[in-house]
Amino acid sequence: MAAALRRLNRNDTVFLLCDMQERFRGVINSFPSVLHVCSMMAKGAKVLQVPMIVTEQYPKALLRTVPEIDITGEKVFGPYEKTLFSMMTSEVEGVLQKHTFKNAILFGIETHVCIQQTALDLLNKEYNVHIVVDGVSSQRILDREIALRRLEKAGAILTTGESVLMELLKGKDEQGFKEISQLLKEPRPLV
């Protein structure tokens, strides 16, 4: 357990954006707020030069990642199409195996399905898994709450998007401070 409590570091951290697709827009609880945080995390990944893996669940039916989230850039892997609920497809496994990541920062939807299964798979592979609680949701609040409780008991660390970005930043004299500060000042949706 002590290893899971160590500080985040840009050099061994990966962000995982799970299934923030257009078809979910009208059905996920607090979607505008979750979208804001996921977009903030994607922008923060670019500023901090943290790699990000993106998946899309069966895009033929659920469509593509919402356009408000920038999933372009040299350190973005994917989007990888999947039919598994977990993000741990062969493509994602391949990216993880090519790097020495220790910390996985997970955000997207749905908390009780794809987020939960991905987190459990990553925990089984001995990653330190951090769930961005303001960047995950489900259609029903109860499903989200129970999944977060289960994941915390399984060893995942519950955190917020701002907390992750500030911890990776380390201090005001670090490269990217002004950009991250501006991101954090953007108004958040009330829902």
Side-chain angles (χ1 to χ4, degrees):
M1 186 67 136
L5 298 178
R6 67 183 212 48
R7 298 276 307 259
L8 293 175
N9 184 313
R10 295 185 208 192
N11 299 325
D12 61 9
T13 297
V14 63
F15 286 8
L16 292 101
L17 172 62
C18 185
D19 307 347
M20 281 296 292
Q21 293 160 254
E22 194 61 49
R23 189 72 76 200
F24 290 116
R25 189 182 294 271
V27 296
I28 295 296
N29 185 60
S30 300
F31 188 87
S33 181
V34 172
L35 172 57
H36 174 84
V37 173
C38 288
S39 177
M40 176 183 77
M41 296 302 290
K43 291 173 186 174
K46 281 189 178 186
V47 171
L48 298 172
Q49 299 180 358
V50 172
M52 183 172 71
I53 299 172
V54 180
T55 60
E56 295 175 338
Q57 179 72 30
Y58 193 55
K60 184 175 180 181
L62 299 175
L63 307 177
R64 294 290 177 185
T65 301
V66 294
E68 295 94 328
I69 302 175
D70 183 0
I71 57 169
T72 62
E74 65 182 60
K75 291 202 173 215
V76 175
F77 300 93
Y80 298 114
E81 295 183 14
K82 66 186 184 70
T83 54
L84 289 174
F85 294 129
S86 174
M87 290 179 74
M88 299 301 284
T89 64
S90 59
E91 295 92 349
V92 171
E93 294 255 13
V95 171
L96 293 174
Q97 289 170 2
K98 290 179 183 172
H99 297 84
T100 56
F101 302 127
K102 294 178 183 171
N103 301 301
I105 312 298
L106 192 51
F107 46 96
I109 52 180
E110 283 190 87
T111 312
H112 68 294
V113 183
C114 299
I115 295 290
Q116 179 172 271
Q117 291 184 33
T118 303
L120 293 172
D121 287 345
L122 288 164
L123 286 166
N124 284 335
K125 293 182 178 296
E126 300 187 7
Y127 286 91
N128 300 313
V129 177
H130 300 252
I131 308 294
V132 179
V133 296
D134 52 346
V136 298
S137 193
S138 297
Q139 292 180 54
R140 289 168 292 284
I141 295 171
L142 182 62
D143 288 328
R144 178 186 182 276
E145 291 173 0
I146 297 302
L148 290 174
R149 285 173 43 193
R150 178 180 180 196
L151 289 170
E152 187 172 37
K153 285 187 179 212
I157 298 163
L158 304 185
T159 188
T160 65
E162 181 170 341
S163 180
V164 167
L165 295 176
M166 294 303 276
E167 186 170 346
L168 289 169
L169 189 58
K170 302 283 187 238
K172 84 162 210 59
D173 295 330
E174 298 292 323
Q175 179 184 4
F177 174 77
K178 288 182 182 178
E179 295 92 334
I180 295 296
S181 293
Q182 288 304 322
L183 277 178
L184 300 177
K185 291 177 185 174
E186 290 179 7
R188 294 181 181 223
L190 298 175
V191 189

